[in-house]
Structures are given as C-alpha cells and as structure tokens.
Amino acid sequence: MATDNNPKKRKTVGRKPKSDPAVYRYGIKLNAEENGKFELLFLRSGLSQRAKFIKTMIFGREIKVVKLDKAAMDYYVRLTNFYHQFQAIGNNYNQTVKAIKSNFSDKRALALLYKLEKITMELVVLSKQIIALTREFEEKHLHRNP
C-alpha cells in the first residue's frame, strides 16, 4: 500500500501525468451571428475539436480549407477517360492506315483513306467542342480566388 509520506513511490493506476498540462481556461460568449460564423469556420477547417480550432486561430497557424466539388471531380474523371479513349483512337488510326496501305491496291486504299479522313474531320470538330466546353466549365465553376 502506497503512502503519501514517501514521495518516491507513485501510484501505478490511472493516467500518466502530462509534462506540461493545459490548466488555464478561458471563456467567451458569442451572439447568434458570431456563433454562426464560428461554426461555419470550424466546419470548413476540418478539425475535430473546437478547442484545437480556437488555438489554431489564436496563434496564427495557417488553416487550409479544401473544398471538393463533386461535379468538377466527375467532369475531370470523365474528361480523363475520354482523353484515353481519344488516344486509343489515334493508335487504332495509325494501325488502320498501315493495314490499308499494305493490304489493298492504291485505288482501293485511296477510297478507304478518304472515308477515314471524313471521320477524322468529325473527330477534330468533336475535339474542338470538348476543348471549348472544358474552358467554359473552368471559367464558370473552377475560378480560383487569389
């Protein structure tokens, strides 16, 4: 049984004491408008505890707020997938031209290449439309605040 007379012996139960415990406490009161602003900033910070958020704000540590726009992410993913499909079309295009040149007579190859050229022009127009839509989307939805 540990006695209070012997300071070298410590109780072995309970939590270990912190080397620098936070013992100073401050209280503030906010009105409804201020509390609304506080809660909004707290939610944007992504921190789990209000006390850590307040300490961060007081001592000037930088808080980074990251907003994820689901629509922008979906658009980006689909555009990336479309770009990979476009690359595959280019690869298939090169293979098709080589196959046409090697397997058909010059007259037949020219006719097939003419059809391929028409489809390629349609792809170029589609590509330009995609670029225009992407720029429009970036201007409307992804404008960055400096």
Side-chain angles (χ1 to χ4, degrees):
M1 190 172 187
T3 60
D4 292 331
N5 298 343
N6 192 350
K8 291 184 180 179
K9 287 193 176 183
R10 194 179 82 166
K11 293 182 182 179
T12 58
V13 294
R15 225 182 244 183
K16 293 181 181 178
K18 294 182 178 180
S19 62
D20 185 21
V23 294
Y24 301 101
R25 185 178 186 130
Y26 298 93
I28 59 167
K29 294 187 181 212
L30 304 173
N31 62 24
E33 181 182 342
E34 293 168 339
N35 188 54
K37 288 179 183 178
F38 173 79
E39 289 295 327
L40 185 63
L41 289 172
F42 172 68
L43 290 174
R44 285 184 183 167
S45 72
L47 295 174
S48 59
Q49 298 175 2
R50 284 177 176 79
K52 286 184 180 179
F53 171 71
I54 292 170
K55 283 182 184 179
T56 303
M57 293 300 291
I58 289 173
F59 294 117
R61 295 184 188 145
E62 186 176 336
I63 294 179
K64 294 183 181 179
V65 177
V66 178
K67 294 180 184 179
L68 296 178
D69 187 0
K70 181 78 169 131
M73 290 296 291
D74 288 343
Y75 185 79
Y76 175 76
V77 167
R78 290 179 186 213
L79 187 63
T80 303
N81 289 338
F82 187 74
Y83 176 74
H84 291 302
Q85 290 175 0
F86 214 76
Q87 282 184 323
I89 289 172
N91 189 13
N92 291 342
Y93 181 86
N94 290 338
Q95 292 175 358
T96 303
V97 170
K98 287 179 185 177
I100 288 174
K101 280 186 164 184
S102 63
N103 294 328
F104 293 101
S105 66
D106 289 340
K107 194 173 186 181
R108 181 71 178 142
L110 285 174
L112 292 173
L113 288 174
Y114 178 72
K115 288 181 182 180
L116 190 60
E117 184 181 6
K118 280 185 174 180
I119 295 171
T120 303
M121 293 299 181
E122 292 175 17
L123 282 174
V124 168
V125 169
L126 181 64
S127 174
K128 288 180 182 179
Q129 289 174 347
I130 291 168
I131 291 170
L133 287 173
T134 301
R135 286 188 179 141
E136 179 184 336
F137 182 81
E138 286 175 349
E139 289 173 4
K140 286 184 179 179
H141 301 287
L142 299 180
H143 50 35
R144 308 254 192 274
N145 294 333

